[in-house]
Each structure stands twice: as structure tokens, then as C-alpha cells.
Amino acid sequence: MWSRLVSLGLRAPVGGRQGFTSKVDPQGSGRITVQVIEHLERLALVDFGSREAVARLEKAIAFADRLRAVDTDGVEPMESVLEDRCLYLRSDNVVEGNCADELLQNSHRVVEEYFVAPPGNISLPKLDEQEPFPHS
Amino acid sequence: QSGSSLRIVSAALKQGQITPTELCQKCLSLIKKTKFLNAYITVSEEVALKQAEESEKRYKNGQSLGDLDGIPVAVKDNFSTSGIETTCASNMLKGYIPPYNATVVQKLLDQGALLMGKTNLDEFAMGSGSTDGVFGPVKNPWSYSKQYREKRKQNPHSKNEDSDWLITGGSSGGSAAAVSAFTCYAALGSDTGGSTRNPAAHCGLVGFKPSYGLVSRHGLIPLVNSMDVPGILTRCVDDAAIVLGALAGPDPKDSTTVHDPINKPFMLPSLADVSKLCIGIPKEYLVPELSSEVRSLWSKAADLFESEGAKVLEVSLPHTSYSIVCYHVLCTSEVASNMARFDGLQYGHRCDIDVSTEAMYAATRREGFNDVVRGRILSGNFFLLKENYENYFVKAQKVRRLIANDFVNAFNSGVDVLLTPTTLSEAVPYLEFIKEDNRTRSAQDDIFTQAVNMAGLPAVSIPVALSNQGLPIGLQFIGRAFCDQQLLTVAKWFEKQVQFPVIQLQELMDDCSAVLENEKLASVSLKQ
């Protein structure tokens, strides 16, 4: 099935991946393995696109690691500065709506009152299932 | 320039000395003359003129809506404006036309303000220079000021003057440039880590960040839901108070707005004396990277308060050095979540791939987002991974509490208002700014401003004096939560003491053809 999808041209636009993943910076934190890259790309549906982007992430992680030096024993996480207040809830009455036409206007692909999506439940191909790249 | 304050021009409108249409035309003409600043993404000329016409009718019938009726304003392009393109300076939303107004926009319109246009920003408000949007960078009007040019001993007619133009700061640089160049009387920015205060300081403006929960975020395309607030940019404190008066208040469409009764309108008393005031100076904000000029002005400001009878105390915000790291983790994490809505299905850019939803989403997002946005999404997703969640995201939330508590402790020690720098230095040239990447710059430039967002406090940047190079330097006042009025009252007193000079752009206005010529030359030389 993967090879069929590949031949349908699935790989080409989504991929654009260079062979950098096999050359991940050995001086890095070691956290950015190929598996992590794939995992992040799949979760974020955003690709790194270049070695520089991976290096930037490594720098961002190194920066974030500075937090380890802070003693947070017994400190509760703070989610909102308004945590001591109650969120206001509106009464459950319909006061606006019926604007399907307006909302549909902003989409590129609609059919009648439906937004049209491509077929789902098809995962992005893994990196090593891509067409051959210049590997080391 | 007389009539350059909202208050003054509002009085002129009420007395019939000028009509809304004349005012609108004047601002539209200035927008055209200052087009090279690239402050505006969309100029809503027809809309503004129509609004001016309606305002005029109201004034004729003696039924003006208030201080903002007929006043030209501009809005940062990450606020939804009904029927007017809203792009967030991103390919992802090019051509997107919201079907509704952000609450703050609606409130301005309900007060009769004239919407001149949507201003430029860093893409999705991520950045501290207003240089990373798809419509190009914003230029600081002070680059063309007499004050700056004279210091550089440059002949305004010399050819190469434009290649060293200065950044506005960011991410609300377009709004700052728009107000600074007199194309409007007030502009909306957004402030997540300093995005309103930073460009205000670099452009010689008042940049106000309200308390979190005071002003509705409905319609502000979100970056970090727990820190974003709409910001106000004006040429003086009284003007900011007028705008705040129109915007503050609970919104049923934003459940994070507080429902406490607020005293409106926001009339600022003129402080007769500051002897009952206690000013706090956080010692950890004295960092080595702080320019000597800013440090000197900060020190002079503290002395000024003291000499006028105020108590000036050194305070400690012990977790300051971790603040920017904490902000970085929380910001990227929330961004990763907020950017997930851009998938090409219901609005915004959509790629041509149709093979699967995942492939379509991925390609759409690659095409729609720039490197900065994508980098933050990936970082955020990393921190939110199951194996990282406790050590990064929750850890940062805990540090956030420590930072917020630092401020509480400082205020509990008797301090009314904190006084700090806004930026490390004056505005730098664009060519120098782009030598470092966006994340590095943001980490440097947000250093004095982002802790305020994490604590949800009100803060305002006030222009203090010109640097040796003739460029604006601002200082920041931070107040207690929901004590915005008191904060602005102190800021107003300080503004009156320092008498910051008006930007002199006259030569620019009279001779914009020469500048446009240089602009073309400069863009050619940059392309090489």
C-alpha cells in the first residue's frame, strides 16, 4: 500500500525532505533522534525541512533546560493568572447563528453546505519509506 | 505638531474646527506619503471615508458618540475585522476575510472611530522586530526624523540614506509606525511578551498593556491564551486612557474577562505630588546587556521620583533570570496548540494535495507558515510530548507561579508601581537586527517585558528622552493587577516631567519624493 501511495505522488509535495536526518548533529543533546523528528512532524503536521531547523530545536531545548536549576518543590503549576476567579458562563440561549453561508465562503473547497476534506485515516509515510534520498 | 493628540483633535471636532472627513482625508494622505514605512497591510479608505461621513452627520446633529467619534485609528492585522482582510502577515491567512469584528474593534467602531486600516506585524505576532511578516518589514519613522538625521550628519538628499533604516521593534511595529508617523491617533496592538511596549519604546510612543482580563480577547487571533492582551499605542498617556475607557469591560464572548465593576470613563487625575507614592526598582533588571544610555535614564527617572518626594525602593524579583526561559516554554507550547487550527479546511490557505487529510494539512501548513512559526510549533510539540510534559511544560507552569509571586511580594512590600527599562537599547538598524535569528532576538528583546505577561499585570512604556543618536528611549512602569488607572496616573505625571520631544518629520512630508527614490535604490541594493 505504501508504494502505491508513493506512486500517486503523495510523497513528493509532503516530503521535500533532504537526507539530513541520518546526519543529526552528534554534538546535540542527543534527544533529537530520527524517531523524535518523525514523531514531532507527525504530531505537528509541520516538517522540519532542513538541518538548520533541527539545530534550532536543539538550541531551544538547551535553552529550556535551564529551568532545571529552579527549585519548584511544593509549587503548584499555574495555569492562569485568574485562577482565583470563576470563569463566567453565559446562559444557554441561542442568540446568534444561521450564518452557514458566511462561514462556507471562507473555504476553498465546499460542496453544498459541506466542507470537503480529502480521505482520512491515512498516515503520513515514515521517513524511510520515502523515495530514496542521498543517504550517507 | 498641534492637534496631534486625540484629546485635542476630539475637542476640535466637537467645536467644528475640523470635520471628520477633513481629518480622515488628512490621515489618508499621510498614509500614502509614508507608504514606504510599510506600516499598513490594508488601507480601508472607503470604509474610513464612509465612517467619516456618518460621524460628520452626528456632529452636525450634536449627537457625537464621545471622545473617539471621528478619530482615525488603526488596528493590528491579527484582530478580526468584518469584511476586511485579516492576514496576521502570514500566507496562511492571505485573502482571509473574517465574518465578524473582534470585540475591541467593534467597541472602537461603536464609539465612532474611523478604521484607517490593518497594520503590519511579525508573522502571527511572533517576533520582536516586525521584520518577519510576509508583507515585508516595517520601517521606524524615526529613521527619517530630523533628530536622527542631524545626529548622523547626513544630508537628507543624499542617496544612500535608506539602506540603514531602523526597525520599529515588534511585533506591533506597524501600529507603532502608523501612530508615530501621525497617520492615526491611536492603534491597537497585541501584547503577549511585550509586543506593544517594545515598539512603543523604539518609536517614541506610549505603549499600554492592560491587566489580563480587563480587555476582551475575542477576535484577537490567539498566540498564548493565558498571556495575550490587546495593547494600545498612542502619542500620550491621556489618549491611551481614552481608548482604554472604550475597550475595558467584561465580554460575554470572552470568559477570561473579569466581571468586576470598573469605574468608567477612565479619567486620569493629574497627580499634584508623588509624595505618597512608592516606586520599586527591581535590582535583577540591571543586566550587563543594558545599554549605558538606558541605564542612565532609568537611574535619572528614579532620582526624579525621589527628588519630588516619592519613596524609591530597591526590590527583588528573584526568579527574573528564569523568566525568559519559562516564557519560551509556555509560549511555544500554547502556540503549538493554537496553530493546530490552521489546516486549510474551513478558512485560510489550502494546498493542492488531495490524497489524504494528513498530507493536505502538512503541505498546507508548510506552505502557509514561515520558519519562525513552524519552529515554535515544533518546539512546543516537543515540550508537550508525554515524556517531556512534566519536565518542561509543567515545570514552566510552576516557575510561572514563582515569577507571579515575586511580583506579589514586591507589591506587598509597599510598592505601588515598579520602574524598569522597556528595552535593552534604542532601535537598531534592520541590517544589524537580522544578523541573529528570531528566537535569539526575541529572547534578548523581551527580557524586561515578558514577565509582566506571565503575571498578568498592567504595564506601560513611556518615551523618556532621545539617545545620543537622536532615537527614542522608553521606560516601563508596572502596576498591580487591575490597578490600571493608578498606573496610568503615575505614568501621566512622569510624562509631564520628561517632556519627550515630538518627532520632526516635516522634511519627510515635504520631500517624500526624494525618499521614495532612495527607497527604490535601497531595495535594489538589498537584493544584491
Side-chain angles (χ1 to χ4, degrees), chain B residues 184-207:
Chain B
C184 59
Y185 286 81
L188 290 185
S190 64
D191 197 310
T192 304
S195 292
T196 291
R197 292 162 282 155
N198 176 296
H202 287 320
C203 295
L205 300 173
V206 171

Side-chain angles (χ1 to χ4, degrees), chain B residues 266-462:
Chain B
F266 264 85
M267 289 297 292
L268 296 182
S270 289
L271 264 184
D273 76 287
V274 292
S275 56
K276 295 196 186 68
L277 211 55
C278 180
I279 307 288
I281 310 285
K283 65 181 189 196
E284 292 87 358
Y285 279 45
L286 182 59
V287 294
E289 298 85 356
L290 185 61
S291 90
S292 56
E293 278 185 302
V294 178
R295 182 167 67 235
S296 161
L297 282 172
W298 184 23
S299 175
K300 281 194 191 137
D303 292 343
L304 170 67
F305 276 102
E306 203 160 41
S307 69
E308 292 294 320
K311 205 159 79 164
V312 179
L313 285 180
E314 188 186 76
V315 296
S316 176
L317 300 174
H319 296 91
T320 296
S321 61
Y322 298 105
S323 180
I324 188 72
V325 186
C326 178
Y327 174 76
H328 158 73
V329 174
L330 293 177
C331 178
T332 50
S333 300
E334 289 215 37
V335 159
S337 175
N338 276 320
M339 294 294 124
R341 73 191 67 196
F342 298 105
D343 58 17
L345 266 185
Q346 292 165 298
Y347 46 77
H349 173 67
R350 178 175 177 147
C351 70
D352 290 328
I353 294 175
D354 244 354
V355 185
S356 73
T357 45
E358 289 214 8
M360 189 277 269
Y361 294 165
T364 293
R365 290 156 72 77
R366 182 176 359 100
E367 288 168 16
F369 292 141
N370 72 3
D371 283 346
V372 175
V373 176
R374 285 160 52 207
R376 291 202 195 187
I377 293 172
L378 289 165
S379 296
N381 273 293
F382 179 86
F383 298 133
L384 293 171
L385 288 177
K386 253 194 289 208
E387 64 259 31
N388 296 330
Y389 194 81
E390 274 295 318
N391 294 332
Y392 289 95
F393 183 67
V394 175
K395 179 79 177 179
Q397 286 186 312
K398 293 179 179 177
V399 176
R400 182 177 183 175
R401 182 178 297 284
L402 293 175
I403 290 164
N405 285 346
D406 279 357
F407 282 102
V408 169
N409 293 337
F411 286 120
N412 282 347
S413 69
V415 163
D416 297 303
V417 156
L418 296 168
L419 170 62
T420 80
T422 309
T423 56
L424 289 168
S425 72
E426 70 221 343
V428 299
Y430 172 74
L431 291 175
E432 192 182 306
F433 185 77
I434 55 176
K435 285 181 186 159
E436 295 275 11
D437 73 63
N438 183 294
R439 189 191 63 77
T440 308
R441 280 294 180 212
S442 296
Q444 293 165 347
D445 300 335
D446 288 345
I447 199 155
F448 301 121
T449 49
Q450 35 70 32
V452 164
N453 297 80
M454 291 210 284
L457 301 172
V460 62
S461 179
I462 302 292

